[in-house]
Amino acid sequence: MQHGLRLAPPLLCDSSREEATVPRPTVPSGSRADGRRGRPVAPLVPAHERWGLAVGTMVVLLLAAAFPAYAHGFPADAPLAEREPAPKAEGVACQEAAPEGEEMAPPRRHVWRALGEVTAANAAIWSVNRFIRKRDWAEVSPETWGRNLTGGFEWDADKFTANQLDHPYHGGIYYNIGRDNGLSYWEAAPLTFLGSLQWEVFGENNPPSANDVINTSIGGLAVGEVLYRLSSMILDNGSTGWERTGREVAAGLLNPGRGFSRVVRGEAWRVGPTPREWTPSHFAGFGRAGYLQEGDAAGGQAGPGRLVVGLGMRHGDPFVDDFRKPFDSFSVDASLILRKGHFLGQADAQGLLAVTSLVQRPRWQVLLGAYQFYDFVDIGTYQVGAQSFSGSLLYRHVLTGTMDVRAALDLRGVALAAISTNPSETNERGYDYGPGVGVTLRAALGSWPWEYFGVELETSWIHTLDGVVKDHLIHEGRLHADIPVFRGLGLGGSLQLFRRDSLISNEKRDPQQTPRFQVFVSWH
């Protein structure tokens, strides 16, 4: 891929903010002015409500794959001559184009209003559970608040999906209230932590949970920013009537925190400009459906075959786009499996936090970046969920036309991971908690965003802080192929192997292996 297309975004004017302009940042020396290389470095719902959030998460995944993307009309390497002129923003608030080469000043930050909205959201959720649903855990009082403030943190025993799926989603609600009030990724992080801490202390009569705060806060950043970007692609501040209503409702279902904030501030019906950054330079969604054969880790036998549906998206390309803010480039992949008691088999998101160019040649590049990862694996008896960050080396070599080879080496620091194990007297959850370190190698041959052949290898060591007295080694390997057949249709398959070695002092390893094989039809 030799050329990158930046689709012309909507004009940026905003009558609700100061309309001062600032010059576009100067392109760094050694980079090309067309933006094709060289990037400046970027300096709960409680566990008891897991089913409601599970349904919400399903809606999120389906909407994310279904709605039309602004930038999907052109591939990443479309010639610059194919760019369409920038559409004018509709509405009375923006009548003239912004001067070429200039951008609007960043939005005002409303920190106290954001904190008030987070508090109101927590109060509303608590009120529903206390007075309508009559939940015992919602019976709080000044006495329970005092005990929670002075009693310290514990590790709760909620189910895996509640802690590793529901809590990050809930954290995304806090996060998006902050983002919609003008806070950046880094500025919204403390607000997400405060929202989680507020709920743990004042929203339940259970002792505050350390794993809940970590999963809600850190997981909420990754899940929340993905939802913020996707809902931005749906919203159009210049639309009116039924179109405006449909967009606001769809974005609110996808991103409840942002939808709540827009209603509170009146933005849901105020006509104005659509910010330039809401339109990504590159975006692609894809899906697959097929047959999955899964091994039985406990019995060593082949399990029943199942229907599997996969959804994925790619937002931004770090090799051809100008990188300015965290998650300007991110990817999401999810697998939905039809089986009793489970619907989400695997989900992962990775967002680029910062990047700089190390080597730039006509046909190949090497970048140094930092990523945030959210991982969720739930395949029967094998469960792993983790919040982690990495330092990464990214490599791209252009072969011919749009065909290229890409590779990445990630050195991860795992803030907190949950790993399934056998329940014991000290751990009724059925999984352990702890931090760790890991390394991941990824390589693929394809044409962005389509990977024709790929391989992923990952190894992590997790030190148990709460659970059975053992540490864990986690290994995951995956080979996959997705061959174009006709236009956007492809045929492919993948082979995965999950292995967990539980380490106990003076004892042999207790390995558990779960192989998976699938064939599928894909559409891009």
Side-chain angles (χ1 to χ4, degrees):
M1 300 193 310
Q2 296 175 328
H3 302 287
L5 168 68
R6 293 185 58 84
L7 293 183
L11 300 177
L12 176 60
C13 305
D14 195 340
S15 62
S16 63
R17 302 169 182 152
E18 294 182 359
E19 299 203 4
T21 59
V22 295
R24 183 184 296 275
T26 303
V27 177
S29 61
S31 62
R32 295 169 57 171
D34 61 7
R36 278 170 274 171
R37 64 148 299 192
R39 284 148 300 278
V41 181
L44 207 33
V45 175
H48 310 274
E49 310 305 318
R50 55 186 176 275
W51 286 113
L53 285 179
V55 174
T57 305
M58 173 72 82
V59 173
V60 166
L61 292 171
L62 295 178
L63 282 175
F67 69 79
Y70 289 98
H72 195 266
F74 294 97
D77 295 292
L80 295 178
E82 295 184 15
R83 290 177 12 175
E84 297 180 357
K88 292 184 179 181
E90 300 177 359
V92 297
C94 184
Q95 302 293 339
E96 297 181 357
E100 180 68 24
E102 294 185 352
E103 293 182 351
M104 302 304 299
R108 292 178 179 177
R109 297 170 177 83
H110 301 282
V111 178
W112 293 109
R113 184 168 65 189
L115 183 58
E117 291 180 12
V118 165
T119 303
N122 276 337
I125 295 171
W126 172 82
S127 297
V128 170
N129 286 288
R130 173 65 179 88
F131 300 109
I132 298 177
R133 307 190 68 179
K134 307 293 184 181
R135 299 298 188 184
D136 293 339
W137 51 263
E139 296 181 0
V140 297
S141 65
E143 181 181 356
T144 59
W145 296 341
R147 185 178 67 245
N148 288 344
L149 285 169
T150 59
F153 287 83
E154 298 181 359
W155 301 85
D156 71 26
D158 291 335
K159 290 186 177 181
F160 180 82
T161 53
N163 280 336
Q164 302 306 127
L165 187 63
D166 298 351
H167 279 283
Y169 180 76
H170 192 194
I173 294 177
Y174 302 141
Y175 174 86
N176 274 286
I177 289 176
R179 290 288 275 124
D180 205 57
N181 276 282
L183 304 185
S184 67
Y185 169 93
W186 303 108
E187 293 165 340
L191 181 70
T192 308
F193 171 79
L194 289 175
S196 175
L197 190 63
Q198 186 183 74
W199 178 267
E200 291 295 318
V201 173
F202 301 106
E204 298 179 344
N205 54 29
N206 300 317
S209 171
N211 51 278
D212 284 354
V213 172
I214 296 173
N215 286 327
T216 304
S217 300
I218 299 180
L221 300 184
V223 174
E225 183 63 22
V226 168
L227 296 182
Y228 182 83
R229 299 288 182 138
L230 298 179
S231 60
S232 294
M233 295 172 64
I234 298 175
L235 293 170
D236 180 1
N237 290 339
S239 62
T240 58
W242 286 108
E243 179 189 354
R244 178 61 175 269
T245 301
R247 288 179 177 274
E248 294 292 336
V249 170
L253 289 174
L254 181 68
N255 189 344
R258 190 179 193 183
F260 172 78
S261 182
R262 286 178 66 84
V263 170
V264 169
R265 296 185 296 107
E267 291 293 331
W269 48 82
R270 183 177 297 123
V271 177
T274 300
R276 185 190 305 269
E277 63 180 17
W278 288 8
T279 304
S281 301
H282 302 122
F283 179 87
F286 55 90
R288 56 187 178 272
Y291 174 84
L292 170 68
Q293 180 67 60
E294 207 167 72
D296 184 354
Q301 304 294 327
R306 295 184 176 90
L307 174 66
V308 60
V309 176
L311 302 173
M313 62 192 71
R314 302 291 182 265
H315 181 291
D317 186 340
F319 290 99
V320 299
D321 292 338
D322 288 329
F323 183 90
R324 299 185 180 186
K325 299 178 180 179
F327 281 71
D328 275 353
S329 174
F330 71 82
S331 65
V332 176
D333 291 278
S335 294
L336 308 179
I337 304 175
L338 299 181
R339 58 184 174 187
K340 184 178 180 179
H342 299 80
F343 76 96
L344 183 61
Q346 188 171 0
D348 60 77
Q350 57 185 50
L352 189 62
L353 299 178
V355 69
T356 187
S357 178
L358 295 182
V359 181
Q360 180 71 37
R361 296 293 184 267
R363 300 187 68 86
W364 60 279
Q365 298 168 266
V366 178
L367 309 177
L368 175 63
Y371 276 91
Q372 180 181 1
F373 293 86
Y374 166 78
D375 296 288
F376 178 92
V377 179
D378 184 6
I379 51 177
T381 59
Y382 186 92
Q383 298 173 312
V384 174
Q387 320 295 338
S388 57
F389 298 88
S390 79
S392 303
L393 285 175
L394 310 176
Y395 171 80
R396 175 187 182 230
H397 184 88
V398 178
L399 298 178
T400 177
T402 62
M403 185 87 68
D404 64 9
V405 173
R406 300 191 181 207
L409 178 64
D410 308 308
L411 300 179
R412 296 199 195 189
V414 182
L416 187 67
I419 311 98
S420 59
T421 187
N422 295 324
S424 71
E425 295 180 358
T426 59
N427 179 13
E428 295 300 330
R429 289 188 310 255
Y431 58 94
D432 296 343
Y433 265 125
V437 294
V439 59
T440 304
L441 175 63
R442 300 171 278 143
L445 168 68
S447 177
W448 191 98
W450 199 328
E451 292 185 358
Y452 304 147
F453 299 95
V455 59
E456 298 175 15
L457 301 172
E458 180 178 350
T459 296
S460 300
W461 169 79
I462 305 299
H463 173 63
T464 300
L465 293 181
D466 182 72
V468 178
V469 183
K470 61 177 72 174
D471 291 348
H472 301 273
L473 285 175
I474 303 173
H475 312 281
E476 179 182 347
R478 179 173 181 262
L479 293 171
H480 67 274
D482 188 359
I483 309 302
V485 176
F486 178 74
R487 294 185 177 179
L489 290 178
L491 291 176
S494 68
L495 177 63
Q496 283 180 287
L497 177 64
F498 298 91
R499 175 176 173 132
R500 185 199 72 219
D501 291 281
S502 298
L503 310 179
I504 307 175
S505 300
N506 302 321
E507 294 186 21
K508 294 182 179 180
R509 293 183 178 181
D510 178 25
Q512 183 183 50
Q513 295 187 144
T514 304
R516 309 178 84 200
F517 172 75
Q518 63 175 303
V519 291
F520 55 81
V521 177
S522 65
W523 61 95
H524 298 257

